[in-house]
Amino acid sequence: MVDITDPKRTKQAASRRDFLKAGLLGGAAVAASAGVARAAGDPLITEIQDWNRYLGEGVDVAPYGKPSEFEANVVRRNVPWLTADPVSSINFTPLHELDGIITPNGLCFERHHGGTAVINPADHRLMINGLVDTPLVFTMEDLKRFPRENRVYFLECAANGGMEWRGSQLNGCQFTHGMIHCVVYTGVPLRYLLEEAGVKTNGKWLLAEGADAAAMTRSIPMEKALDDCLVAFKMNGEALRPEQGYPLRLCVPGWEGNMWVKWLRRLEVGDEPWAQREETSKYTDLLANGKARRHTWVMDVKSVITSPSPQAPVTHGKGPLVITGLAWSGNGTIKRVDVTLDGGRTWQTARLDGPSLPKALHRFYLDINWDGSELLLQSRAIDDQGLVQPTKNELRAARGENSIYHNNGIQTWHVNNDGVVENVEVS
Amino acid sequence: MLKFPKSAALAVLGLTALATPSLADGDAGAGEKVFKKCAACHAVGDGAKHKVGPELNDVFGRTAGSAEGYKYSNAMSEAGQGGLVWDAETLSTYLAKPKDMIKGTKMAFAGLKKDDDIANVLAYLKTFSQETAAAPAAVEAGETPVETADAGAAVEAAPAAEMVVEKSQGAFGLGRKAMPDEIAAWDIDVRPDGTGLPEGRGTVAEGEPIFVENCAVCHGDFGEGAGRWPVLAGGQDTLRNDRPEKTIGSYWPYLSTVFDYVRRAMPFGNARSLSDDDVYALTAYLMYLNDIVDDEEFELSKENFTSVRLPNEANFIPDDRLSEPHYAKGIEPCMSDCKPGPVKITARAQVIDVTPEGEGDENSGGGID
């Protein structure tokens, strides 16, 4: 092994560098005097580019790496008019810029009700109390001594698409569908923790509570808690991001995002639900007849074309065009996605590519040869339970326009002859 | 820890009381508490950014309407152009009745009623203003003895209970047994059947001033809501309307939710600061605003709580989405000739134009609640 800190070697290298530098200067002088003709072709190829000549930054410049500066527009965005205050608000995942099924941690949409809590993991506690044999308190260190699992799940806000009930309104799939992300979680199955405390036989419900300034709470039926819920501390291999509940969050796969309590500090076992604010006044679905559905936990079968879309227009003209999008279902896997180019008169089955995991995003493609004519693009997902994604008008007929939540209607994008894309609805 | 005898501290107070009202009266420590009322909209301190209102670092000496990157009301910008500079005097006047001083200010806050609160919050803000960084230290030094005299007594009266660590008896033996005081500190949830209600009571009349002081800045004096903050009252018989108004009286199924939520998360930015009696009184006042009681002397307590029913309780139904026609199983989706003729566009997002990058920031229909 060569020790690069060896002073003798450094000195040798320096003198060699001096020699080379002298040679380069000489060469440049010759080229300039000769007045060489410009080569024909793309100057990006025929001319030597800066990045090809000069050295880039070293390994110690960015101890935690960031995306390229040329990707600076790929960010979460807020819709300022939507909420009273950015502290209790939401931003949106830039789905139109992403591919595959995994959302990068820094682009996962945020929804919190009292701002991002900042908690040192050494100061975090998880309590289990209520109808248990032994109420327990865990530290983060305790939790990391239970057996762990890794699972890929989507997390969708129940209000995703909530602004579109009355008609197409926001021009971009980031805003119409961006309250969703999908990452691989590492965590402890919730049932291990509940078994450690010993759930009493009348313990039928679980209240999950966050440590943030909203002290977020939701009631979860015990059957779900013991089935596939996780208490997670990692996402995509690294610690949860602060805005995603660092150091600990609940995963409630396939169910509405509000239940995935962040900054999870307490689990209470009870015999009835608690009727908390977020399961009575909010996250209940008002119907046209004045009744309201509650406990609408499962996120329905749904899909959207992410490109082309209003923020991702077709810029290359006629010819090969990749149509791609995402599909998901809180019931399980996606069995099939159909795509129409003519607003729903004829459909063709798209190609699913990448892993097909239950309660995770699925990526689909339809590769076409675009003739430059107008398109009315839609996608329609079918899940492994055989449930078919409905149209927006079917949903309105069944529920009215004031449900806010659980809008999984088929999205239409209009592509004009120039490749400009708009959010529309069709007959 | 008592730095001087209490009589000396009182003498200091006596002297300052003789002086004309000024910042010297203010207690930055007490002002920090008062500032909680402001913190929902204003940030101050390291890294403070504009929120609903502008950040308040170096507000002393700042020309009104001049904080970079904050979008002021025209009225405030004009006041600054007219020469208004924030100092102890101008801020005192403004904070007493903001809308009297700057007609058209965006600040929804009604004002601080107590002169002491104003002096204290200004002393607190002054600790974040460089202009006279030395002054707050003097203020603190003058006030400290009085505060520690009270705090000292409280600490002696309540020695910390000893922590007994009992191991978990579960299969993994991980974690430890939770102690009763710990469970009591966190388990504050209340159910519709009254489980979890603490001892306590409060009347409508007692709730009103608490509401005006802590809640009205966002929710309006009558629960009508300011800006996009939640409307708490009214909206009866609107649930079938084109634009339903979902309030405690018109929509919420259970009163326990009001009590539970106010106690755990309100006021916004200063959670867990109200006493149980305050929460009973506020809940009673919200019942009054929603015409559920009409007697201002009505007292809500642990004892009578579950006798109250909200009007919309019966209108909540279980999830029956799967019974909707479009989910009827066994129907293979159509693949060709699915619509009779060419498809027409019936609605367009560009007509509405509320997408953020389109510069359109006007309010629009729909929301995420």
Side-chain angles (χ1 to χ4, degrees):
Chain A
M1 277 221 11
V2 179
D3 179 7
I4 59 166
T5 60
D6 180 353
K8 268 188 290 183
R9 192 181 140 75
T10 313
K11 201 177 170 193
Q12 265 177 11
S15 59
R16 240 184 110 118
R17 244 189 350 253
D18 291 342
F19 172 74
L20 284 172
K21 202 154 59 177
L24 267 178
L25 286 171
V30 170
S33 61
V36 285
R38 276 181 102 97
D42 184 350
L44 286 166
I45 297 170
T46 57
E47 292 173 14
I48 295 165
Q49 303 297 317
D50 284 356
W51 57 85
N52 184 216
R53 171 165 291 160
Y54 305 115
L55 300 175
E57 288 177 336
V59 293
D60 49 358
V61 168
Y64 193 102
K66 285 183 181 167
S68 160
E69 63 186 277
F70 305 106
E71 299 292 316
N73 62 324
V74 185
V75 290
R76 298 180 288 214
R77 292 185 194 279
N78 178 13
V79 176
W81 55 259
L82 202 55
T83 51
D85 184 317
V87 170
S88 178
S89 191
I90 191 154
N91 60 23
F92 298 82
T93 305
L95 297 179
H96 59 292
E97 295 278 7
L98 303 179
D99 215 318
I101 65 165
I102 297 293
T103 316
N105 287 341
L107 295 177
C108 290
F109 85 95
E110 299 170 65
R111 169 60 163 142
H112 27 75
H113 297 68
T116 295
V118 176
I119 304 173
N120 181 335
D123 296 337
H124 193 69
R125 302 287 182 271
L126 175 65
M127 180 188 288
I128 301 182
N129 72 306
L131 298 175
V132 290
D133 297 333
T134 314
L136 292 175
V137 172
F138 300 104
T139 62
M140 286 302 297
E141 197 174 42
D142 294 332
L143 294 171
K144 290 181 176 179
R145 296 172 69 190
F146 283 92
R148 296 170 209 170
E149 289 180 355
N150 293 289
R151 294 286 184 272
V152 178
Y153 293 123
F154 77 80
L155 184 166
E156 184 183 18
C157 177
N160 200 15
M163 296 83 82
E164 304 287 301
W165 275 103
R166 291 169 188 278
S168 44
Q169 175 165 284
L170 288 163
N171 217 15
C173 73
Q174 178 167 20
F175 304 111
T176 56
H177 290 77
M179 298 182 196
I180 191 167
H181 56 68
C182 182
V183 305
V184 54
Y185 293 96
T186 306
V188 178
L190 178 55
R191 68 175 176 280
Y192 293 170
L193 304 182
L194 293 172
E195 283 163 4
E196 190 75 0
V199 175
K200 291 186 190 290
T201 48
N202 57 339
K204 298 298 179 199
W205 288 84
L206 192 66
L207 183 76
E209 180 180 80
D212 61 321
M216 174 61 62
T217 37
R218 284 296 299 256
S219 305
I220 299 164
M222 187 59 72
E223 196 182 9
K224 178 70 174 177
L226 296 175
D227 177 17
D228 59 359
C229 291
L230 279 182
V231 173
F233 39 82
K234 303 271 188 191
M235 57 193 290
N236 291 335
E238 64 176 359
L240 295 172
R241 289 292 168 92
E243 66 272 26
Q244 304 299 341
Y246 180 87
L248 196 66
R249 92 171 307 165
L250 189 62
C251 299
V252 190
W255 288 18
E256 57 188 24
N258 182 253
M259 307 178 81
W260 298 49
V261 172
K262 301 192 277 194
W263 310 288
L264 181 71
R265 76 163 183 196
R266 196 168 68 92
L267 297 161
E268 181 177 352
V269 178
D271 56 354
E272 280 178 39
W274 280 260
Q276 294 285 291
R277 188 236 196 191
E278 310 297 327
E279 51 204 20
T280 53
S281 83
K282 311 290 176 187
Y283 302 96
T284 48
D285 314 344
L286 180 61
L287 305 175
N289 62 6
K291 302 274 182 191
R293 290 185 179 130
R294 68 175 164 194
H295 297 167
T296 46
W297 299 309
V298 176
M299 295 310 298
D300 309 76
V301 60
K302 190 166 175 181
S303 69
V304 65
I305 291 169
T306 54
S307 179
S309 65
Q311 298 158 289
V314 185
T315 53
H316 53 60
K318 295 177 194 176
L321 169 65
V322 174
I323 297 170
T324 185
L326 292 166
W328 62 95
S329 168
N331 297 308
T333 58
I334 291 295
K335 192 172 70 180
R336 197 176 97 200
V337 178
D338 301 326
V339 171
T340 174
L341 309 180
D342 59 11
R345 290 190 77 197
T346 52
W347 295 82
Q348 41 193 317
T349 296
R351 171 171 61 90
L352 290 171
D353 188 84
S356 171
L357 300 166
K359 303 166 190 179
L361 291 184
H362 289 59
R363 173 63 60 176
F364 66 86
Y365 297 95
L366 185 71
D367 306 292
I368 68 163
N369 194 9
W370 185 40
D371 62 5
S373 62
E374 285 185 58
L375 303 173
L376 286 168
L377 296 177
Q378 296 179 337
S379 61
R380 176 178 69 191
I382 304 161
D383 71 17
D384 61 5
Q385 305 293 302
L387 294 173
V388 181
Q389 184 180 1
T391 66
K392 289 182 178 179
N393 283 335
E394 283 171 332
L395 286 175
R396 288 182 190 121
R399 304 178 192 174
E401 295 181 353
N402 288 313
S403 277
I404 299 175
Y405 308 102
H406 297 286
N407 182 353
N408 64 321
I410 289 174
Q411 174 67 45
T412 311
W413 304 129
H414 173 242
V415 183
N416 77 8
N417 305 119
D418 299 324
V420 173
V421 185
E422 186 186 1
N423 174 11
V424 301
E425 295 210 19
V426 292
S427 57
Chain B
M1 193 180 66
L2 207 56
K3 276 185 191 157
F4 334 7
K6 205 165 184 176
S7 56
L10 290 173
V12 172
L13 270 187
L15 280 176
T16 53
L18 290 176
T20 48
S22 76
L23 269 191
D25 292 322
D27 172 349
E32 186 175 0
K33 290 192 190 111
V34 178
F35 188 73
K36 302 256 162 97
K37 292 178 185 172
C38 322
C41 302
H42 291 283
V44 71
D46 274 353
K49 291 190 184 126
H50 301 319
K51 294 164 70 181
V52 176
E55 60 90 4
L56 297 177
N57 288 332
D58 288 323
V59 69
F60 283 81
R62 184 196 285 175
T63 298
S66 71
E68 205 167 310
Y70 182 77
K71 201 172 161 191
Y72 286 93
S73 61
N74 291 338
M76 186 60 79
S77 302
E78 282 160 18
Q81 285 151 18
L84 177 63
V85 174
W86 295 122
D87 58 20
E89 199 186 330
T90 54
L91 281 168
S92 294
T93 310
Y94 184 58
L95 290 182
K97 282 195 171 170
K99 288 196 164 66
D100 280 11
M101 180 173 170
I102 313 278
K103 285 196 177 58
T105 178
K106 260 163 71 166
M107 187 158 95
F109 191 60
L112 288 166
K113 289 204 181 74
K114 296 179 190 153
D115 290 346
D116 284 355
D117 282 353
I118 295 179
N120 291 341
V121 83
L122 289 184
Y124 174 66
L125 286 176
K126 193 137 199 176
T127 64
F128 300 100
S129 279
Q130 284 189 343
E131 199 194 12
T132 46
V139 170
E140 271 173 35
E143 298 289 328
T144 303
V146 179
E147 231 186 12
T148 49
D150 293 345
V155 168
E156 271 170 45
E162 204 172 313
M163 204 165 126
V164 188
V165 176
E166 268 185 75
K167 294 283 288 180
S168 153
Q169 303 295 310
F172 293 94
L174 292 170
R176 64 165 175 84
K177 195 171 172 182
M179 290 182 290
D181 283 356
E182 294 176 327
I183 296 172
W186 276 4
D187 184 355
I188 59 162
D189 45 73
V190 177
R191 288 197 323 206
D193 64 4
T195 305
L197 278 172
E199 295 298 332
R201 61 200 62 253
T203 65
V204 172
E206 288 161 353
E208 183 178 7
I210 303 170
F211 186 87
V212 169
E213 184 151 328
N214 294 281
C215 320
V217 57
C218 294
H219 295 296
D221 279 344
F222 305 99
E224 75 277 17
R228 288 221 151 212
W229 296 105
V231 178
L232 300 180
Q236 274 83 350
D237 302 318
T238 65
L239 296 184
R240 283 184 295 275
N241 291 5
D242 187 35
R243 301 274 173 176
E245 189 100 90
K246 297 192 286 184
T247 71
I248 293 165
S250 73
Y251 190 67
W252 295 33
Y254 307 112
L255 190 66
S256 61
T257 311
V258 179
F259 188 96
D260 177 286
Y261 184 69
V262 170
R263 188 159 66 140
R264 75 171 52 249
M266 290 288 115
F268 191 63
N270 193 17
R272 304 289 301 267
S273 62
L274 299 168
S275 70
D276 290 339
D277 283 347
D278 286 349
V279 181
Y280 276 108
L282 275 177
T283 308
Y285 184 64
L286 287 165
M287 290 168 65
Y288 179 81
L289 288 182
N290 279 286
D291 300 326
I292 293 157
V293 289
D294 54 12
D295 178 3
E296 290 181 27
E297 295 313 310
F298 170 79
E299 182 181 78
L300 186 68
S301 67
K302 184 183 179 186
E303 288 68 35
N304 68 0
F305 196 97
T306 53
S307 66
V308 180
R309 287 293 168 92
L310 297 186
N312 197 45
E313 178 181 337
N315 285 321
F316 283 80
I317 59 170
D319 182 2
D320 59 353
R321 279 175 288 174
L322 290 181
S323 69
E324 292 175 340
H326 50 264
Y327 280 142
K329 292 207 176 171
I331 299 174
E332 261 306 302
C334 172
M335 295 301 284
S336 58
D337 294 325
C338 305
K339 292 182 181 179
V343 175
K344 287 196 182 103
I345 293 175
T346 56
R348 309 178 63 123
Q350 280 174 4
V351 174
I352 299 171
D353 192 25
V354 288
T355 310
E357 281 163 305
E359 299 292 315
D361 65 353
E362 66 267 48
N363 287 0
S364 184
I368 57 158
D369 232 12

